[in-house]
Amino acid sequence: MKNTLKGLQRLEDLVLVVAFVVMIAAIFIQVVNRNIFKIPVSGFEEAAKYCMVYMVMLGTELGLRDGSQIAVTGVVDKFRGKSRKVLQIVSKLIVIAFSVVMLSSGIGMVQKQLQTGQTSPGLGVPMAVPYAALPIAFGLIVVIQIGILVQMILNFNKPDEPEEKQEEVTE
């Protein structure tokens, strides 16, 4: 299971890098075109926006995975031992439940876009493509967070590691 999670995480990281490179290239080309060539092309700006949408959505999972998301841990920090682990598991279950709801809604949005056949004005791509960022991101969140939850449950009876060592494990 760890290999599957690592594979998904590597794929996600690759998509983030590709989206970033495409976004930067599209913006650069758009600026050069606007200031030098003055050819009316709107697809570059639209491509950059869609890349940014994918980066934000996939970055959400990345932040959840490595713990860099903003979190209110005041309650959890007051507990130690097994009670702290139980609160962390409950917190993970809430994240997974929310992500399942968002995944379901995102799938519905993509299906609606596929039914209507709407295309983007600049690139002419089906609007289901940018909308697909939602179910892709939340699908990854569900899968990876369930994997982390399983690891938390399996390690429930193991003693807590020092804080410095926990940070090294997550990187």
Side-chain angles (χ1 to χ4, degrees), residues 1 10 14 24 26 30-31 48 55 74 83 87 102 111 116 119-120 126 148 152 154 167:
M1 176 161 56
R10 284 190 182 130
L14 177 67
I24 295 299
Q30 177 69 15
V31 169
M55 288 175 19
S83 58
L87 282 174
M102 293 302 295
Q111 288 173 337
T116 62
T119 59
S120 67
I148 293 170
M152 289 170 76
L154 291 175
E167 289 177 12

Side-chain angles (χ1 to χ4, degrees), residues 36-106:
I36 296 172
F37 301 114
K38 299 182 184 354
I39 301 170
V41 180
S42 62
F44 294 119
E45 184 180 347
E46 197 171 276
K49 287 178 187 177
Y50 295 157
C51 286
M52 185 176 293
V53 167
Y54 271 85
M55 288 175 19
V56 167
M57 295 307 299
L58 293 175
T60 301
E61 194 289 314
L62 183 96
L64 280 172
R65 178 182 2 134
D66 68 8
S68 62
Q69 285 283 50
I70 295 175
V72 179
T73 59
V75 174
V76 175
D77 290 345
K78 294 191 183 291
F79 291 88
R80 297 283 176 245
K82 290 189 181 200
S83 58
R84 180 182 184 135
K85 289 181 179 183
V86 167
L87 282 174
Q88 289 173 329
I89 289 172
V90 168
S91 172
K92 193 66 63 183
L93 287 169
I94 291 169
V95 168
I96 292 169
F98 174 78
S99 298
V100 166
V101 170
M102 293 302 295
L103 173 62
S104 175
S105 297

